[in-house]
Amino acid sequence: MPQSLPARTLILFGLVNLPLSMLMSPAAAILPNFYIEHTAVTLGMMATVTLVSRLFDGITDPVIGVLSDRLGSRKPLMLIGALVCALSVWQLFRPAPEAGLGYLLRWYLLLVLGWTLVEIPHSAMAAELSRDYQQRNRISMWRQILGFAGGVLFMASPMLLGQGRAFTPQVMAALAAFVALALPLTLVVMCWRVPEPRVHGQHRIRPGDMLQVFRTLPWLRHFLLTQVLFGLATGAVSALFVIYASQYLGLGDSIARIALPFSLAMALSMPLWLQLLRRVEKHRLWAVSAPGVMAVLLVIINIEPGPGALMPMTLAMILFGSMLGLASLVLPSMLGDLVDADLAHNGRDRAGILFAFQALVIKLNQGVGGAIGLSIPAWFGFSAEGALTDSAVTGLKLAFAGWPCLLLVPVMVLAWRYPLDRKTHAQLGATMAAQQTPES
């Protein structure tokens, strides 16, 4: 039985994710409206920046994954990325009133680059801190919990700074200062106190490995297909949550009262899932959670609009948040197991490449899943400016529950049949141990 990693080590490692998590999803939710209100940027300019940044990700994510694997140490890229993030967030969150498309595009792309330089090597290093099937769940749990804490802190910052609920220029400047200081500081502490594992005897990583890995590691295709379907489903729900709750249920003034318990449920459910994962396979628990998500969505679309909808909607989103907490816990852990499979079968530690593909899938899912989710109500005549027709309500419910449930059915089957279980992973461990044993 491998020695358990101390909680202190896991906290120091995962603490990097607290400021890092404040730079992507929360910022993506707030920055568009902030720039439209306080600068010369228009909605069309924001759409252009979003499109260009996704194309930029498609190039930089795999390249950074290869660099992370080739360098032999993952820490230098993270330190460079932290400095890039510090500079770009200081500029991006503190724009002048006359700032336009060029300013936003320049600093946003630099922020995306810095974030990727930290995120991909940090995720890869998380997979390498322990080769144990169960220990990897603990590493993932601490990293994700601290990341959720960063997201909650970001969203609560206006209230903490006495600005009510508004993300004013003062709030954004304070967030910029916090991230610009906290990210380099937590990374320096991590580099100092958390030893970086060394992988022995691996072949040199080359750019061709970006495509070769799909041929030499077939389980990766199974994993990514399952994650794509799951991400498209949850991406649609995330994109429509505020619209559904405010436009149909009439809870526009209570969004924060629903969103905070939802975020807390994602984080607080993880220790409970971790205990269950001691007895249940990761992929089997994820498979069983799919019908749980479907049941929650079907309950939500049967909630009657009005003030009485607040409590059942809050409870339903707490359950939904706990299911997303499970996915956030097991997906990095399952991909870490694939890193071991690649090392055992192919003699290559391509953790950076594997987590680069996962990062790209997550970003694309957020965009594509959200776009599909938003387009379905539009096909049924939904418009936020007019009264809701019966057809528009039908479109909202199909997009919020019907389309995601349709995607979750194959997720359930694919996740249940995922071949890399605890027993198979133990066999991989024996193979790696034999490869690293010096010949007599």
Side-chain angles (χ1 to χ4, degrees), residues 49-346:
V49 170
T50 301
L51 175 61
V52 172
S53 67
R54 292 291 82 86
L55 296 174
F56 185 68
D57 285 330
I59 298 171
T60 58
D61 283 16
V63 170
I64 291 172
V66 171
L67 286 175
S68 176
D69 289 338
R70 281 176 66 93
L71 288 177
S73 172
R74 306 200 184 274
K75 292 178 178 179
L77 282 183
M78 286 189 271
L79 291 171
I80 293 171
L83 295 177
V84 173
C85 284
L87 172 62
S88 53
V89 75
W90 182 254
Q91 298 292 333
L92 188 65
F93 283 20
R94 300 169 62 253
E98 64 273 13
L101 175 62
Y103 182 93
L104 173 61
L105 182 62
R106 177 170 64 253
W107 293 112
Y108 190 75
L109 290 183
L110 196 60
L111 180 68
V112 168
L113 176 62
W115 183 87
T116 306
L117 284 167
V118 179
E119 168 66 18
I120 289 176
H122 195 249
S123 299
M125 186 174 168
E128 296 163 341
L129 284 177
S130 174
R131 300 289 178 184
D132 180 64
Y133 188 83
Q134 183 62 30
Q135 285 293 307
R136 195 164 270 148
N137 292 333
R138 292 182 63 233
I139 298 166
S140 178
M141 182 193 72
W142 279 108
R143 189 170 184 268
Q144 296 300 327
I145 282 180
L146 290 164
F148 287 142
V152 171
L153 181 61
F154 186 102
M155 290 303 182
S157 57
M159 292 178 286
L160 295 174
L161 295 170
Q163 300 290 317
R165 298 178 181 177
F167 282 86
T168 63
Q170 293 78 15
V171 171
M172 297 301 287
L175 285 168
F178 175 80
V179 175
L181 291 173
L183 184 55
L185 179 61
T186 54
L187 255 173
V188 167
V189 173
M190 186 213 77
C191 291
W192 176 38
R193 301 299 299 174
V194 180
E196 185 170 6
R198 297 290 179 179
V199 179
H200 302 286
Q202 69 161 332
H203 298 287
R204 183 169 177 79
I205 304 301
R206 296 177 174 85
D209 283 283
M210 286 189 288
L211 296 178
Q212 188 192 44
V213 69
F214 285 100
R215 180 176 59 83
T216 59
L217 190 62
W219 293 340
L220 176 63
R221 299 195 293 269
H222 189 138
F223 174 82
L224 289 180
L225 174 60
T226 313
Q227 186 175 3
V228 165
L229 294 172
F230 184 81
L232 289 175
T234 55
V237 175
S238 299
L240 284 167
F241 160 65
V242 173
I243 294 174
Y244 190 88
S246 57
Q247 298 292 325
Y248 175 62
L249 294 179
L251 301 175
D253 294 334
S254 302
I255 296 299
R257 296 171 63 184
I258 302 172
L260 185 57
F262 163 78
S263 299
L264 290 174
M266 291 177 69
L268 296 179
S269 65
M270 285 192 176
L272 301 177
W273 291 124
L274 183 64
Q275 293 303 314
L276 194 54
L277 284 166
R278 297 180 185 278
R279 299 172 177 82
V280 183
E281 300 281 0
K282 303 171 192 178
H283 62 288
R284 292 284 166 85
L285 191 57
W286 186 31
V288 172
S289 74
V293 172
M294 295 164 64
V296 169
L297 294 177
L298 294 176
V299 166
I300 289 176
I301 63 172
N302 284 286
I303 297 174
E304 293 295 327
L310 177 59
M311 183 58 69
M313 183 63 173
T314 303
L315 292 175
M317 290 305 292
I318 287 174
L319 291 174
F320 183 69
S322 68
M323 299 297 176
L324 291 188
L326 171 63
S328 298
L329 173 60
V330 299
L331 291 181
S333 183
M334 289 171 66
L335 191 54
D337 296 337
L338 275 174
V339 173
D340 294 344
D342 195 23
L343 188 60
H345 289 160
N346 304 312

